[in-house]
């Protein structure tokens, strides 16, 4: 996946080091303009993250439900 989506050092740290590194990255990005020109702070987006649930995916054989 890293080969398909190149990450900055800060982004890689957020992936590898966990929640505190992710929170630090989000705090630094709060004043970085989005493509529309407004910042997350101006939009009112909190500088926190919500962890997504991890679910297992079981794939059946082709032709079987």
């Amino acid at each position: 996946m890293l080969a398909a989506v190149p990450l900055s050092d800060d982004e890689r740290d957020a992936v590898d080091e966990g929640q505190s590194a992710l929170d630090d990255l989000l705090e630094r990005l709060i004043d970085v303009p989005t493509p529309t020109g407004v910042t997350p702070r101006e939009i009112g987006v909190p500088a926190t993250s919500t962890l997504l649930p991890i679910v297992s995916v079981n794939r059946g054989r082709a032709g079987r439900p």
Side-chain angles (χ1 to χ4, degrees):
M1 186 69 169
L2 291 175
V5 181
L7 301 175
S8 69
D9 290 339
D10 289 340
E11 292 166 336
R12 185 179 298 264
D13 287 346
V15 170
D16 293 339
E17 295 180 21
Q19 190 65 44
S20 64
L22 178 58
D23 290 340
D24 292 343
L25 175 61
L26 292 174
E27 186 62 38
R28 286 193 302 274
L29 294 175
I30 195 79
D31 292 314
V32 175
T34 64
T36 63
V38 295
T39 67
R41 185 182 311 273
E42 293 168 332
I43 297 170
V45 176
T48 59
S49 62
T50 301
L51 296 178
L52 299 175
I54 298 174
V55 297
S56 63
V57 176
N58 297 317
R59 294 184 183 193
R61 292 184 185 171
R64 295 177 71 187

